Amino acid sequence: MNTVGERLKTLREEMGLSQKKMAELLDVTQPSINRYEHGKAVPIEVLIGYADYFDVSMDYITCRCDEPQGKKTGFKRRFMRLH
């Protein structure tokens, strides 16, 4: 079974995004993205940001299901900050 960190990394890499670019999109630091992907810490706001940006369900992000359940339109729309 995948971990949350592995899911976050896979989503990012599938879109060809660097950790630096993902950090910019979520308004966090690149070392924070690295910690999230290695399971060191993941604030709920960041998980929501990933789910919104990649248009996938929180159940997918948290490994409760294996289907993203999104329309995959989130890749093209502008990321809306949670702040």
Side-chain angles (χ1 to χ4, degrees):
M1 174 180 263
N2 289 331
T3 65
V4 172
E6 289 170 336
R7 286 274 164 97
L8 299 179
K9 182 177 180 178
T10 298
L11 286 168
R12 178 182 60 76
E13 288 179 339
E14 284 178 350
M15 288 306 299
L17 297 170
S18 66
Q19 286 186 347
K20 182 179 178 181
K21 181 62 179 175
M22 196 72 223
E24 291 170 8
L25 291 168
L26 296 178
D27 198 26
V28 299
T29 65
Q30 181 276 324
S32 293
I33 296 295
N34 190 40
R35 282 193 301 276
Y36 306 154
E37 291 182 359
H38 286 91
K40 304 295 182 195
V42 184
I44 189 69
E45 295 85 7
V46 171
L47 295 178
I48 292 168
Y50 270 83
D52 287 347
Y53 185 80
F54 292 109
D55 192 25
V56 296
S57 70
M58 286 294 288
D59 281 345
Y60 178 76
I61 294 282
T62 58
C63 305
R64 292 183 59 180
C65 73
D66 291 327
E67 295 298 321
Q69 301 172 358
K71 297 177 185 173
K72 297 293 184 186
T73 58
F75 301 123
K76 296 178 184 171
R77 72 177 181 218
R78 185 171 175 229
F79 178 71
M80 296 177 58
R81 293 183 189 226
L82 300 173
H83 308 298

